[in-house]
Amino acid sequence: MMPQKSTKDVVLTAVWGDNPVFRQILGICSALAVTNLVLNTLVMGLAVVFTTALSGFTVSLLRKWTPRVIRMMIEVLIIAFYVILFDQTLKAYWPEMSRNLGPYVGLIITNCIIMGRAEAFANANPPLLSFVDGLFSGLGYALVLLAVAVIRELLGMGSLLGIPMPLFSSALWDRWIIMVMPPGAFFTLAIIVWLARTIQVDKDIKKQGGK
Amino acid sequence: MGLRGKTWFPILYMFIVTLTLSAILILFGNITRQRVTNNERIAYERAVLRALPVDLPSGAGPAQIHNIFLANITDPDEKSAGAHRYMVEDSLLAYALPFEGAGFWAPIKGVIGISRDRKTITGIAFYEQNETPGLGGEIVKTEFTRQFVGKKLAMTPPYIEFLPATATLDESSVHAITGATQTSNRLGKFMNTILGTWREHMDDPQ
């Protein structure tokens, strides 16, 4: 059985050391699809945080009764439950955002980060710690998405959260249309993954006291 | 060996978990269903009113939009070939023709307003689209939609033409969105098809 980690370790690992996007390369589909507007990205990130945290908590709560042979079906069922709750809430209380995100909220069900945390952590740890792990894994995902979205919206549309930004919305700045299109997401994400991994490799080398 | 070791336990367990979670979702769906339906209805009504020369107060709430719609707009019927009619004191002011077709990513649904001369466009509004934000998604922006106001439908197709941003416009053309060729082409195509069908019906109700 996996040794139990401290809350601080769980948080640091989820947000940085084992970040779902730039360390594990998970959740890339939505990271590419919804990051051309910061507001859409914020809500998408919130949806993933909500689902990862609560599904981790629930999977952990049921882990002692769930038969191993059907545990993955149960995990998918729990994840789908929270995603549908979030999707329905958006449809009822924020219809414009629901229309903007289209099918991507529903597709969170297939996001490997959530299933990954349920399998790798919640199945072997107590509910509260699993909740914290899910919460910060979701946050780790949301922060990377937000970084991609800020770059794309600023360079591609000259705005942030729909508010025109000085210089980038003026005639001096020729909007980089490619940034709001899918290739812009690939370039931006690749650069962020490269930077984050370079920083981590440097840290690891220093920690080992080697070259 | 406890219950977990029994061969039938996984089936019973799965059934209980599914039943519990589904029951909660059904309950939540029932609580929010009316609200979701109303949201869809209001989005449509707002688009109809925006396409027409209706004095819609800025920041009008759902109740206000619904009341203005009920007071002035008729349901589509055969006589208007599927368009709503904008009536003020029993006199017809304009038509609001709903249209929809395939966009670049997903269906685009909107309404085009046409004055009672069946020629002059009073406005256009969209209530559903999922085009690329910043590109095709710009169809919902005022910069694009206000071009249509006052344009005249041509006598022959294309009734309203989408031209590149550098082209000189005439009374039946508008500028397409730069960088969103697919959205502009598709929108222009299905909008013209629907306008053609509507005109045919209005000119010859047979």
Side-chain angles (χ1 to χ4, degrees):
Chain A
M1 193 182 215
M2 196 189 294
Q4 195 169 311
K5 288 177 168 181
S6 73
T7 308
K8 189 186 162 195
D9 282 345
V10 167
V11 170
L12 288 176
T13 308
V15 175
W16 180 261
D18 216 6
N19 182 285
V21 184
F22 63 72
R23 293 291 288 182
Q24 301 179 59
I25 315 292
L26 295 176
I28 298 300
C29 173
S30 52
L32 298 173
V34 299
T35 49
N36 49 10
L37 284 178
V38 174
L39 185 61
N40 292 359
T41 309
L42 271 174
V43 178
M44 185 67 181
L46 186 67
V48 173
V49 170
F50 171 84
T51 311
T52 321
L54 290 176
S55 62
F57 178 81
T58 315
V59 166
S60 171
L61 202 65
L62 297 175
R63 73 189 191 284
K64 287 179 183 158
W65 295 281
T66 305
R68 279 199 66 75
V69 285
I70 58 162
R71 73 182 193 287
M72 290 182 89
M73 282 195 284
I74 294 287
E75 285 160 12
V76 173
L77 197 64
I78 291 166
I79 292 165
F81 168 74
Y82 286 115
V83 170
I84 294 169
L85 268 189
F86 193 91
D87 195 27
Q88 189 68 16
T89 306
L90 273 190
K91 277 184 182 146
Y93 298 98
W94 199 355
E96 295 81 13
M97 181 53 69
S98 175
R99 278 193 289 273
N100 285 349
L101 291 175
Y104 291 105
V105 174
L107 284 174
I108 292 173
I109 296 170
T110 61
N111 191 321
C112 314
I113 296 168
I114 307 168
M115 189 72 174
R117 294 328 294 164
E119 271 289 291
F121 197 91
N123 263 328
N125 286 283
L128 273 179
L129 203 57
S130 299
F131 178 85
V132 173
D133 174 74
L135 184 76
F136 284 92
S137 289
L139 272 178
Y141 164 87
L143 287 173
V144 177
L145 253 66
L146 211 54
V148 177
V150 166
I151 295 167
R152 292 184 70 192
E153 188 178 339
L154 191 63
L155 300 183
M157 299 173 74
S159 62
L160 281 180
L161 287 167
I163 303 162
M165 289 289 117
L167 177 67
F168 292 98
S169 60
S170 71
L172 292 171
W173 181 257
D174 197 9
R175 291 192 310 153
W176 296 6
I177 286 172
I178 198 166
M179 292 306 282
V180 291
M181 297 179 76
F186 278 103
F187 300 143
T188 314
L189 189 64
I191 290 169
I192 288 175
V193 169
W194 169 59
L195 281 176
R197 286 188 166 219
T198 306
I199 294 168
Q200 187 59 37
V201 167
D202 285 349
K203 271 187 177 178
D204 290 346
I205 291 171
K206 272 185 194 160
K207 205 185 273 179
Q208 289 160 9
K211 318 162 243 185
Chain B
M1 187 163 89
L3 276 180
R4 285 184 73 185
K6 306 279 186 197
T7 46
W8 48 262
F9 181 73
I11 298 167
L12 178 69
Y13 185 82
M14 189 77 200
F15 179 76
I16 292 170
V17 175
T18 308
L19 189 71
T20 311
L21 298 184
S22 303
I24 297 170
L25 286 181
I26 289 167
L27 183 69
F28 189 66
N30 278 336
I31 293 168
T32 53
R33 183 180 299 141
Q34 193 55 48
R35 210 181 165 95
V36 173
T37 311
N38 288 348
N39 287 339
E40 287 166 359
R41 179 77 198 157
I42 292 299
Y44 177 73
E45 290 177 354
R46 185 186 282 123
V48 169
L49 295 177
R50 279 187 179 161
L52 293 168
V54 178
D55 192 14
L56 190 63
S58 62
Q64 202 175 357
I65 289 170
H66 187 59
N67 289 338
I68 296 173
F69 184 91
L70 285 184
N72 298 287
I73 312 295
T74 66
D75 282 338
D77 55 25
E78 272 191 38
K79 211 175 148 194
S80 61
H84 295 274
R85 274 173 293 172
Y86 173 35
M87 310 288 292
V88 173
E89 291 169 0
D90 292 336
S91 71
L92 172 71
L93 290 191
Y95 299 94
L97 179 67
F99 61 86
E100 65 176 89
F104 187 44
W105 297 112
I108 297 175
K109 296 182 184 177
V111 180
I112 185 163
I114 303 157
S115 72
R116 66 179 168 194
D117 66 4
R118 298 181 198 168
K119 202 176 171 192
T120 312
I121 296 177
T122 59
I124 188 171
F126 298 90
Y127 61 96
E128 192 180 312
Q129 61 86 22
N130 243 314
E131 300 306 285
T132 315
L135 295 174
E138 297 288 293
I139 56 170
V140 299
K141 295 273 177 75
T142 319
E143 290 79 7
F144 179 73
T145 56
R146 72 174 165 215
Q147 299 185 85
F148 288 82
V149 180
K151 292 286 173 183
K152 308 274 186 202
L153 297 179
M155 293 309 290
T156 53
Y159 302 100
I160 190 86
E161 196 174 7
F162 287 54
L163 297 175
T166 49
T168 309
L169 300 178
D170 62 17
E171 63 169 9
S172 301
S173 56
V174 293
H175 282 142
I177 294 165
T178 309
T181 314
Q182 284 295 324
T183 301
S184 303
N185 287 349
R186 288 164 194 237
L187 176 63
K189 197 172 172 188
F190 67 74
M191 189 195 282
N192 275 298
T193 306
I194 291 162
L195 280 169
T197 311
W198 182 74
R199 263 200 156 173
E200 242 171 60
H201 278 274
M202 293 302 282
D203 292 344
D204 180 14
Q206 296 309 308

